[in-house]
Amino acid sequence: MAPSANGQTVGRRLPVESAFTRVEDARHRLPRLFGRRDLVVLGLGVMIGSGIFSISGVQAANVAGPAVILSFVIAAIVCLLAAACYAELSSTIPVSGSAYTFSYVTFGEMWAWLVGWALVLELVTAAAIVARVWSAYFLATLDGFGVTLPTGIAQFFGPDAKVNLVAPLLLLILTALIVTGTKLSARVLTIVVIAKVAVILLVVVVGAAHVKMENYQPFVPPARAAPAKADPTVLGWLLDSAFGSFGMMGIFTAASTIVFAYIGFDLIATASEDARSPRKTVPQGMLLGLGAVTILYIAMAVVLVGMRPYARLGGSAPVSEAMAAVGLGWAAKVVNLGALLALMTVIMVVLIAQSRVLFNMGRDGLLPKSLGRVSRVYSSPARAAAAAGIAALILTLYPKVLELEELLVIGALFCFAFCAVGVLRLRHTEPNLERGFRVPMVPLIPLLSLAATMWLMLNLKTGTWIKFLVWMGIGIAIYGLYGRWHSRLANEDSWDFDVDTDPGTGGLQTIRTESDRSTELRAVRTPPAQQPQKPTRGKHMRN
């Protein structure tokens, strides 16, 4: 590989002790506000969203039929395996940035950049898509309460509208909320999550009384050939077989998309620096949140498919439409309100996670350093949050943004694969690091996670892979032109410590104290040579 600015290669890795030091002593650090309950709420806030109110019906109608229930189970298993790997890495390296930071410590800078770039794709696309879906439920809610918008105005509200005004406005409001501080957004999130869980439980209980067993037949509809012009999956392309919809392959194809519904447990890891006792609370919040949402998803899928023939579940608001079809008009109104709340919290958490990823990449110098600073006014990474919101706003203006759903799935699966391998590598290279959670049955569980992730990736469309490779190619170009030269690791000796961090937080030297019981890791702060000491600013942030 070509040498970097300081003669090292682009494979340089971030020492784990340096990652800890930068968090604990840096001026630009985040206040620790989240406990275990808050982290569970954070996970539920992003996982209970369009997956439970939209994707289940669409995938049942077009891809898997009633067997979409199995698709939810398969996706849950894959995500539980991945969550175990995320839990160990987040308990070992409790730093915001999620898979990006894990990869920086485990594999090296260039791989970390690619993982971070994939996270950016996942999160920006998720926020833009969910904002559009929110606009569909907004129209349905108005219609349910007898409010009919004039045609000239309604054309700007639909999810497929060429010019959608609702989604950008929603993103602006939520971005402003996140920029002004995590504490306020966390309180709002808690209230909304409680409300939408109550709505889901109401739907399951009331809808169960209207389930008809004949709607589950045939459970696995006969396979249908793909249209001549249909975009094949990668697996179909490799086997020279055009897999269509339904049948056994339809179950796996639907599971590949339904992973989108579970995406959110990984975002809890981005809040490690916001969490108290992150070695314990982050893994607990991740696994508890994923377990709870798995139960809710499967229960909702069973009831939804049983209420209405699967072929009629492909509307823009399938759950509320199913409730209305069985004569539960009042419940349909409640569902629409619950969906508005649910989708709003999804966007909120996604933007919070995106801001944390950009914050870390800016703090590491791979993106402009201004993104890696905490606002002294709001005690939040305001610039990173604003950048995340603006990027999502721009993308949601694209009329066909809903067709990019698989892009965020492949971005998430790409990160899942790196985390599975990262557990094995870190167990080998750093066996004595403190781990608040350990994946059982290593190497079996990480290898199963990797295999399951790769299988789902093969069931994504070739067009999705082409777009993903183009995105990653753009990322490599940005890293080559900017990131590798401005990297903090590449310029440790010349880093502006007064502007970018407190003096003495950049040293990479470590001390390992051997004892009879355990191995202690702690960082030694090495002040940069010939750097004059200037008045320390931002003490209120550390206090």
Side-chain angles (χ1 to χ4, degrees):
M1 290 179 284
S4 66
N6 64 346
Q8 295 177 321
T9 66
V10 293
R12 52 183 171 251
R13 289 189 298 163
L14 176 67
V16 64
E17 297 88 350
S18 182
F20 295 154
T21 305
R22 291 180 183 182
V23 173
E24 296 303 324
D25 294 334
R27 170 181 299 131
H28 302 293
R29 57 174 295 186
L30 302 172
R32 296 193 180 276
L33 303 173
F34 294 152
R36 181 178 61 184
R37 182 189 62 185
D38 301 309
L39 293 172
V40 172
V41 169
L42 193 70
L44 294 178
V46 69
M47 285 186 282
I48 300 177
S50 59
I52 203 165
F53 290 105
S54 177
I55 289 180
S56 54
V58 172
Q59 293 300 310
N62 302 321
V63 183
V68 73
I69 298 169
L70 295 180
S71 300
F72 272 95
V73 174
I74 293 171
I77 292 172
V78 173
C79 290
L80 283 170
L81 292 172
C85 298
Y86 265 88
E88 175 165 326
L89 292 175
S90 61
S91 73
T92 309
I93 312 169
V95 179
S96 70
S98 186
Y100 158 74
T101 304
F102 306 155
S103 299
Y104 209 160
V105 172
T106 308
F107 299 106
E109 185 173 279
M110 185 172 182
W111 293 111
W113 166 261
L114 292 177
V115 170
W117 194 239
L119 275 173
V120 170
L121 173 67
E122 170 195 344
L123 299 174
V124 169
T125 308
I129 289 175
V130 177
R132 282 269 182 162
V133 175
W134 190 90
S135 67
Y137 272 94
F138 183 72
L139 276 179
T141 302
L142 293 179
D143 185 64
F145 285 97
V147 179
T148 303
L149 296 177
T151 305
I153 298 178
Q155 65 177 337
F156 299 110
F157 280 49
D160 299 318
K162 292 184 178 180
V163 180
N164 188 302
L165 300 180
V166 177
L169 180 60
L170 176 66
L171 286 170
L172 277 177
I173 295 173
L174 295 182
T175 299
L177 183 63
I178 294 167
V179 166
T180 55
T182 305
K183 183 177 293 186
L184 175 60
S185 55
R187 290 172 180 170
V188 173
L189 185 63
T190 300
I191 295 171
V192 174
V193 166
I194 292 173
K196 69 181 181 180
V197 169
V199 169
I200 292 168
L201 294 176
L202 174 67
V203 171
V204 171
V205 172
V206 174
H210 295 79
V211 167
K212 297 180 180 179
M213 297 307 296
E214 57 266 27
N215 290 334
Y216 295 111
Q217 303 297 328
F219 189 71
V220 182
R224 299 179 187 175
K229 297 182 180 180
D231 189 9
T233 64
V234 173
L235 185 62
W237 177 74
L238 290 174
L239 299 179
D240 194 22
S241 176
F243 296 118
S245 55
F246 305 107
M248 292 304 298
M249 290 307 301
I251 297 174
F252 289 102
T253 301
S256 300
T257 303
I258 286 172
V259 168
F260 166 64
Y262 291 96
I263 291 174
F265 73 86
D266 54 323
L267 303 188
I268 295 176
T270 64
S272 293
E273 289 184 36
D274 302 81
R276 300 187 294 270
S277 303
R279 290 190 188 278
K280 294 181 179 180
T281 57
V282 171
Q284 291 170 351
M286 198 177 295
L287 297 173
L288 289 173
L290 182 57
V293 83
T294 297
I295 295 172
L296 291 174
Y297 269 164
I298 295 175
M300 177 69 90
V302 170
V303 171
L304 179 63
V305 173
M307 288 175 60
R308 200 178 191 194
Y310 69 88
R312 301 180 184 177
L313 294 175
S316 59
V319 177
S320 61
E321 291 169 4
M323 301 297 285
V326 297
L328 298 174
W330 65 270
K333 297 177 182 179
V334 174
V335 169
N336 287 330
L337 288 174
L340 288 179
L341 296 174
L343 298 175
M344 184 178 68
T345 58
V346 171
I347 300 170
M348 184 182 297
V349 178
V350 165
L351 290 178
I352 290 174
Q354 178 71 290
S355 68
R356 297 323 186 250
V357 173
L358 296 177
F359 171 76
N360 262 270
M361 297 177 80
R363 191 165 59 180
D364 291 333
L366 302 184
L367 288 176
K369 290 184 287 185
S370 60
L371 295 176
R373 295 175 183 167
V374 174
S375 168
R376 298 181 181 182
V377 177
Y378 302 118
S379 298
S380 69
R383 295 183 183 181
I390 292 172
L393 189 153
I394 293 173
L395 183 58
T396 202
L397 295 175
Y398 176 52
K400 298 182 179 180
V401 68
L402 295 179
E403 298 177 6
L404 303 180
E405 185 176 81
E406 283 193 357
L407 269 181
L408 68 93
V409 173
I410 196 172
L413 293 176
F414 183 78
C415 298
F416 289 1
F418 267 84
C419 286
V421 179
V423 168
L424 298 176
R425 182 175 176 84
L426 207 61
R427 285 281 187 101
H428 176 71
T429 58
E430 297 284 357
N432 295 322
L433 282 178
E434 179 184 351
R435 288 169 169 83
F437 174 86
R438 298 179 72 91
V439 177
M441 294 185 289
V442 171
L444 179 60
I445 297 299
L447 290 177
L448 284 176
S449 176
L450 179 62
T453 298
M454 296 303 297
W455 173 257
L456 291 186
M457 293 179 78
L458 290 176
N459 280 277
L460 296 175
K461 297 176 182 177
T462 53
T464 300
W465 273 90
I466 292 172
K467 294 183 181 72
F468 179 70
L469 293 176
V470 170
W471 174 260
M472 300 307 283
I474 295 172
I476 292 173
I478 293 175
Y479 175 76
L481 294 174
Y482 182 89
R484 64 176 296 204
W485 305 106
H486 294 81
S487 164
R488 179 171 175 174
L489 281 184
N491 302 279
E492 194 78 28
D493 294 336
S494 60
W495 196 265
D496 188 345
F497 282 84
D498 181 65
V499 174
D500 301 298
T501 183
D502 281 339
T505 61
L508 305 182
Q509 299 179 13
T510 60
I511 289 181
R512 296 173 184 261
T513 303
E514 301 293 340
S515 65
D516 295 334
R517 295 184 179 179
S518 62
T519 300
E520 178 187 1
L521 291 178
R522 60 188 179 91
V524 174
R525 292 179 291 167
T526 306
Q530 299 178 352
Q531 287 286 335
Q533 297 290 334
K534 297 182 180 181
T536 303
R537 294 173 293 177
K539 287 185 178 180
H540 65 286
M541 291 302 305
R542 292 193 300 281
N543 294 336

